[in-house]
Amino acid sequence: MKNLLVTLIVTAFAFQVLAQKMDNHLWLQDLEAYKTGLEQKHIDVYNKIPDTEFDSELEIIKSSIGNKTDFQLVMDLMRLTRKIGDGHTAISLSNIETHNFPFEIKQFGNDWRNVKIAQAFGHLLGTGLIAVDETPMAIAAQKVGEVAQFVENPHSKIIRTAQYFPISELLFELNLIKQKEKASFTFKSDNGTVFTETLTVSANNEPVEFTELTISVPEIEKPEETLSTGFWYAPISGTDALYIHFENYPTFEEMMQIAEEMVGFIFQNNIRKLIIDLRNNGGGDLYVGLVLANALNLADPVDWKSGVYVLADKVTFSAATSNTALFRELLNAQIVGEPTGSNPTGFQDMDTFELPNSKLVVCYSKRLFRIQEEFSEGVQPDIPQTYEWESFSQGNDNMLQWVIKKLQ
């Protein structure tokens, strides 16, 4: 593994999140637009937070405009929006220039592990993050998790905490770091060695060379050419099974074509079992997923009694959550893995509007889907499995390997 020196130069003006402090009266206009927009566009904005509580908290934000920075006000809106309670209603930071520390973390048990990091710090890949400046990771993660967006249940909260953790502006306003441009992070290796490194940030569009951990199994080889990058299928060596990699949604037309070819492959090769892998799928059009289900239903060689498995994890979001639940019903699939990051019954179908002055993007839900009769926090797996650090650190996909061994 190569370690290349990465120098991240940050100038003072780069940290102006909303260019300059916006005038108070413009913020008041935006806060009114925020409330009005949600009331007019969200299918049921007060389904969890009473309108009186919402109004009271919004008035507190209004009264603090003169005493807070723009990003502090954005964070106040993030906290309030979280109380609406669905994973599609959120404050997006897409129109705000933010800066990230050069790593990505993932939770394994109680540990937060570096799974991707700038090559200059490649020796830290796989280590556990145990402190930010002087703050223990358990406390830091809790604080970030309270403001992270697109959270719908405890499972998505873990994922969103990890995704928002590298944002320097967020860590700074939460008093977790002393400077926006750099901070001290403490890591611990599996052999107990502790490393303390000062990391600097990069703008969200600044290129950085990374090294990362990836997982796979030797029985599956991705085709060299695929119509859709995140959707493909391949036979599983040593079995009569087909693996369907469903990380992204293709277009409706692409799915029609791929699904037709797939069913032909199933007949030609007498495929008896299916693994549909919906892990790490952030969502899309659930009806495209139903095109797949409709096509697969025509594949008579498949063992429809006990030969269909769906893999899911905490990053199975939105439409992917809906399709996970629907595949259990329509394809008699057994769900293997973790509970999904979205709820099968809840508010979905996201749209956005923009606040007039700050240009802050507000996401909201337009529909209520009832995929399950009984409410549950995520689609609950029939066969619970988790990512095991020992396997993950060696590049092995223990979840997928478990299903393959079941099929052999």
Side-chain angles (χ1 to χ4, degrees):
M1 186 183 304
K2 294 183 179 179
N3 291 326
L4 301 180
L5 179 62
V6 177
T7 303
L8 304 176
I9 301 173
V10 181
T11 57
F13 69 87
F15 289 98
Q16 296 176 349
V17 179
L18 296 173
Q20 293 180 354
K21 178 70 170 72
M22 200 165 72
D23 288 345
N24 293 0
H25 76 281
L26 297 179
W27 264 117
L28 288 172
Q29 292 175 4
D30 274 12
L31 294 178
E32 284 300 321
Y34 164 79
K35 172 181 164 64
T36 302
L38 284 173
E39 289 180 337
Q40 293 178 345
K41 299 174 183 294
H42 194 288
I43 183 174
D44 187 7
V45 67
Y46 299 124
N47 72 94
K48 288 187 177 178
I49 180 172
D51 57 351
T52 53
E53 181 181 344
F54 184 92
D55 289 344
S56 176
E57 295 209 16
L58 192 61
E59 287 302 316
I60 293 173
I61 296 175
K62 289 179 181 179
S63 66
S64 69
I65 288 176
N67 303 318
K68 292 191 174 183
T69 67
D70 287 332
F71 198 78
Q72 287 172 337
L73 292 169
V74 170
M75 287 179 61
D76 285 343
L77 284 178
M78 292 167 71
R79 292 186 180 93
L80 178 54
T81 305
R82 272 284 297 275
K83 294 186 177 183
I84 295 172
D86 68 81
H88 292 76
T89 302
I91 298 296
S92 168
L93 300 180
S94 57
N95 278 0
I96 297 179
E97 184 180 18
T98 56
H99 302 79
N100 290 349
F101 289 101
F103 62 81
E104 293 181 11
I105 55 176
K106 181 178 177 69
Q107 190 179 51
F108 294 85
N110 294 323
D111 298 327
W112 294 90
R113 298 276 187 168
N114 266 315
V115 294
K116 183 176 181 179
I117 195 163
Q119 288 186 355
F121 301 98
H123 60 287
L124 298 175
L125 187 67
T127 58
L129 178 57
I130 60 175
V132 182
D133 279 348
E134 290 83 25
T135 304
M137 185 56 187
I139 296 174
Q142 179 182 354
K143 288 187 175 182
V144 173
E146 290 171 355
V147 296
Q149 299 294 280
F150 303 100
V151 171
E152 186 152 286
N153 58 37
H155 319 298
S156 55
K157 183 177 180 180
I158 292 170
I159 300 303
R160 301 309 188 189
T161 297
Q163 291 174 343
Y164 278 77
F165 202 89
I167 301 175
S168 68
E169 288 82 4
L170 201 68
L171 298 180
F172 180 79
E173 297 299 349
L174 290 171
N175 297 315
L176 296 174
I177 59 177
K178 300 177 182 66
Q179 301 177 64
K180 294 178 186 177
E181 69 273 16
K182 64 181 180 179
S184 175
F185 294 86
T186 303
F187 306 92
K188 187 176 182 179
S189 68
D190 286 337
N191 64 15
T193 304
V194 175
F195 305 86
T196 299
E197 298 278 358
T198 298
L199 303 182
T200 53
V201 302
S202 60
N204 52 13
N205 60 353
E206 182 177 345
V208 178
E209 293 188 65
F210 286 93
T211 182
E212 64 181 308
L213 294 173
T214 58
I215 56 175
S216 62
V217 295
E219 294 87 350
I220 298 172
E221 184 175 346
K222 180 181 178 180
E224 292 184 3
E225 295 184 6
T226 59
L227 184 61
S228 177
T229 304
F231 185 91
W232 50 270
Y233 62 93
I236 304 173
S237 64
T239 74
D240 55 359
L242 186 71
Y243 172 74
I244 304 171
H245 185 85
F246 198 164
E247 187 173 351
N248 294 319
Y249 281 79
T251 65
F252 186 91
E253 292 76 17
E254 288 172 340
M255 180 62 89
M256 292 281 288
Q257 179 180 338
I258 299 171
E260 182 179 355
E261 295 171 354
M262 187 187 304
V263 172
F265 184 91
I266 291 172
F267 274 99
Q268 291 169 11
N269 295 275
N270 196 33
I271 296 295
R272 295 282 295 152
K273 301 177 182 69
L274 303 174
I275 300 176
I276 306 173
D277 193 345
L278 276 161
R279 294 175 300 169
N280 202 38
N281 187 318
D285 186 344
L286 75 89
Y287 297 101
V288 171
L290 292 180
V291 172
L292 174 64
N294 179 66
L296 289 175
N297 190 52
L298 302 175
D300 290 338
V302 172
D303 174 9
W304 291 109
K305 180 181 178 181
S306 57
V308 182
Y309 295 84
V310 170
L311 280 168
D313 65 7
K314 297 183 187 71
V315 198
T316 302
F317 287 128
S318 192
T321 288
S322 297
N323 283 140
T324 297
L326 288 167
F327 289 168
R328 175 154 55 192
E329 301 298 320
L330 299 174
L331 303 179
N332 193 33
Q334 298 180 71
I335 312 301
V336 180
E338 300 173 328
T340 59
S342 297
N343 298 334
T345 293
F347 298 97
Q348 292 197 30
D349 198 5
M350 188 179 75
D351 207 340
T352 64
F353 63 92
E354 194 175 275
L355 301 185
N357 302 305
S358 64
K359 306 304 179 185
L360 198 61
V361 175
V362 182
C363 308
Y364 63 94
S365 298
K366 298 191 297 182
R367 301 289 184 270
L368 173 60
F369 292 161
R370 299 185 184 274
I371 307 299
Q372 284 183 181
E373 290 187 9
E374 294 184 3
F375 174 82
S376 65
E377 291 189 319
V379 176
Q380 298 299 308
D382 302 299
I383 305 169
Q385 293 284 319
T386 60
Y387 293 105
E388 298 171 355
W389 173 244
E390 184 176 353
S391 296
F392 198 99
S393 63
Q394 298 299 315
N396 300 320
D397 187 341
N398 65 278
M399 278 196 206
L400 181 53
Q401 197 68 65
W402 185 92
V403 182
I404 292 175
K405 287 182 179 179
K406 188 82 172 175
L407 301 178
Q408 291 173 334

